[in-house]
Amino acid sequence: MDVMAFFTWLEGSTLGHIAKSYGGVYAMAQTVHLASMALLGGTVLITDLRLLNVALRDVPSNVVSEGAHKWFKVALAVILLSGVFMVAGVAMKAYYNDFYWAKMAALATGILFVFAVKRPLLRKDHSLLPPWLLKLVAIASITVWFTVAACGRWIGFS
Amino acid sequence: MLNEVLLTFAQWLGAQQWSTGLHESFYMYNWIETTHVLTLTVFLGMLFVIDLRMLGVALTDVPASKIAERLDLPMMIGFTVMIITGLLLFYAIPVRTTQSVWFRLKVILLIAAGINAWIFRNRMKAAKPTWDLDPVPPKNVRIGAGLSLTLWIAIIFAGRAIAYDWFDCGKDQSAFLNWAAGCVADVAAH
């Protein structure tokens, strides 16, 4: 698959034209992206801080991780949709931006980590899992999502 | 008159060595801004979880007050970091920001969100013994939570829009916009 051809096509598509031509619409997409980032971060943090015994200590961690994951999925979906719109407007710039690709790599890692490692593990009864494993998962989760967000912000700077 | 005073103050701030230094330092300025944006996940992340609980759509099997009380500390830590980094961002670019219609709107919305939070908090406290375990809180609490979500999303928009030059002073635009941005005649916008 020719990645560059795809990005060229994306920028020339209707989506790309709308994103490029209407600054107000673009800023609204950025707002939606940031608000869902806040929600995604919030759900990740309450789960991870619970696993690390920092917050919500008197609520079972199984309850916190189940409740948070429902909204994590919503936030992720909205982030991906608004993100596709945003990249359509600056597709070629993104293609040549190292931080864009760093973010995509981190994002792919994050999604894979959540659905292949974190969720299968956290669906089990947490009291049967070794505490160090839960803490390790929490630290890995915070690290990967922090990287995604920080690389995202840095796309605009470089 | 007020606009002249604000602008004089902003010019005084902007003339300081640290202000210029911050504005011109690539890594320092960008890391402050990154911290400001990423802390949204701590501050608004906690706030959104509380609001969604108060709307009766998230973590409904946990008492509402428990969510609000336990997440209050991380939320306020996030808020403190946002205020500090926000002030630093203002300090780095004071003149343009003072005359930004979006910055002004953001400040008004922040005050509105603060008032709403105060009313909301009192409502939650007053009703705690009655509905705490209900999956869906009473209507007045849900209204407060909905208003909070709306206001904060509007604040994100206003904050994001400060970076755009759509309505900067000195542009050929309506008198209303110049008034709203507090443009002072014969002074360059930057």
Side-chain angles (χ1 to χ4, degrees):
Chain A
M1 190 180 72
D2 191 344
V3 179
M4 193 178 173
F6 173 74
F7 275 71
T8 313
W9 169 82
L10 188 62
E11 188 149 353
S13 68
T14 313
L15 206 60
H17 277 296
I18 295 171
K20 240 185 222 318
S21 317
Y22 303 99
V25 177
Y26 199 78
M28 274 182 223
Q30 290 178 318
T31 303
V32 170
H33 200 68
L34 283 172
S36 36
M37 175 203 77
L39 181 58
L40 183 138
T43 62
V44 166
L45 279 175
I46 58 166
T47 307
D48 295 343
L49 293 178
R50 175 63 190 88
L51 294 175
L52 291 168
N53 277 328
V54 174
L56 291 165
R57 274 183 292 194
D58 50 356
V59 183
S61 57
N62 273 101
V63 172
V64 176
S65 65
E66 286 307 311
H69 187 63
K70 285 187 193 125
W71 284 94
F72 169 87
K73 285 185 284 188
V74 174
L76 184 66
V78 179
I79 281 192
L80 290 175
L81 286 174
S82 52
V84 167
F85 178 78
M86 283 161 66
V87 79
V90 289
M92 286 326 285
K93 206 181 144 206
Y95 180 82
Y96 288 110
N97 187 309
D98 288 342
F99 281 98
Y100 173 75
W101 292 110
K103 181 182 183 180
M104 291 305 111
L107 177 64
T109 310
I111 293 173
L112 204 67
F113 172 73
V114 167
F115 292 99
V117 180
K118 193 181 181 187
R119 282 305 298 162
L121 204 66
L122 294 188
R123 257 197 296 269
K124 294 177 187 160
D125 185 347
H126 295 187
S127 59
L128 302 175
L129 296 167
W132 64 265
L133 184 62
L134 293 173
K135 290 188 168 62
L136 187 68
V137 165
I139 290 167
S141 163
I142 289 177
T143 309
V144 71
W145 292 111
F146 169 80
T147 309
V148 176
C151 287
R153 179 55 281 209
W154 221 268
I155 294 171
F157 296 144
S158 52
Chain B
M1 179 58 201
L2 180 64
N3 285 322
E4 276 86 350
V5 174
L6 288 173
L7 185 62
T8 309
F9 174 67
Q11 283 166 334
W12 173 76
L13 273 185
Q16 292 182 15
Q17 206 182 339
W18 280 77
S19 171
T20 318
L22 210 53
H23 189 186
E24 290 177 357
S25 157
F26 180 77
Y27 285 104
M28 202 57 203
Y29 183 83
N30 287 353
W31 267 114
I32 291 171
E33 193 172 74
T34 302
T35 307
H36 192 67
V37 174
L38 261 58
T39 308
L40 280 173
T41 59
V42 182
F43 169 55
L44 283 190
M46 298 304 124
L47 187 120
F48 284 175
V49 170
I50 295 170
D51 284 347
L52 291 175
R53 174 62 187 91
M54 296 304 163
L55 283 172
V57 292
L59 293 159
T60 45
D61 43 359
V62 183
S65 68
K66 206 171 247 187
I67 295 292
E69 285 164 14
R70 301 296 181 273
L71 297 184
D72 193 55
L73 181 66
M75 180 175 77
M76 291 319 283
I77 292 172
F79 183 70
T80 308
V81 175
M82 298 226 57
I83 291 288
I84 294 170
T85 49
L87 286 172
L88 284 170
L89 290 172
F90 176 82
Y91 179 61
I93 310 179
V95 175
R96 178 177 183 271
T97 311
T98 299
Q99 300 191 94
S100 161
V101 65
W102 296 111
F103 177 73
R104 287 169 177 232
L105 182 66
K106 185 173 180 176
V107 172
I108 293 168
L109 289 169
L110 280 169
I111 294 168
I115 295 169
N116 181 58
W118 185 73
I119 299 171
F120 186 52
R121 200 176 269 241
N122 288 339
R123 247 181 228 169
M124 283 193 309
K125 270 189 199 153
K128 189 177 155 184
T130 54
W131 55 269
D132 206 21
L133 299 172
D134 295 354
V136 182
K139 199 171 186 180
N140 68 347
V141 172
R142 280 182 281 142
I143 291 172
L147 205 57
S148 162
L149 280 173
T150 314
L151 282 167
W152 283 105
I153 291 171
I155 290 166
I156 298 179
F157 181 82
R160 185 57 274 213
I162 296 171
Y164 290 86
D165 64 355
W166 305 324
F167 306 130
D168 275 8
C169 292
K171 286 206 161 188
D172 188 16
Q173 61 191 7
S174 72
F176 171 75
L177 277 171
N178 280 330
W179 170 81
C183 300
V184 176
D186 303 324
V187 177
H190 294 279

